[in-house]
Amino acid sequence: KSRAMTPVHIDLLLARHGAQPNGLPVAILLADMRRLRQRAVTAPQVETALRDLADKSLVTPLSATLGDRWRITALGHSTLAEEGLA
């Protein structure tokens, strides 16, 4: 599971873990990532990492009136817990 994830993947899961259940848009996730450990991360990198996490069923995209939002799944929560990160 997480052994195939990059630090960006893990940080995105952690950011989603504490967020609202209605999800966060990429712009907010990008700002959070830059404030934390991933200062040089770009929007395309975040979007690619979110798609990678979605392919693993760890996050899911939500369509909202304000644009695309991303929410962590139950599997994402349990993966963080198994790794001692949540």
Side-chain angles (χ1 to χ4, degrees):
K1 292 177 185 176
S2 69
R3 64 184 170 268
M5 290 193 291
T6 68
V8 171
H9 290 128
I10 293 167
D11 288 346
L12 279 170
L13 278 181
L14 289 170
R16 290 299 321 120
H17 178 69
Q20 301 169 358
N22 60 346
L24 288 175
V26 171
I28 299 291
L29 289 168
L30 179 61
D32 286 348
M33 297 286 287
R34 286 181 175 165
R35 258 186 253 121
L36 300 171
R37 299 184 298 186
Q38 304 294 334
R39 296 191 198 289
V41 73
T42 65
Q45 288 173 313
V46 168
E47 291 167 353
T48 298
L50 286 166
R51 284 191 299 276
D52 291 345
L53 292 170
D55 288 346
K56 296 176 185 179
S57 300
L58 300 176
V59 299
T60 187
L62 303 173
S63 270
T65 56
L66 299 175
D68 290 333
R69 293 172 171 259
W70 293 83
R71 180 176 65 193
I72 192 169
T73 63
L75 181 59
H77 284 291
S78 66
T79 297
L80 287 175
E82 287 172 12
E83 297 298 323
L85 298 170

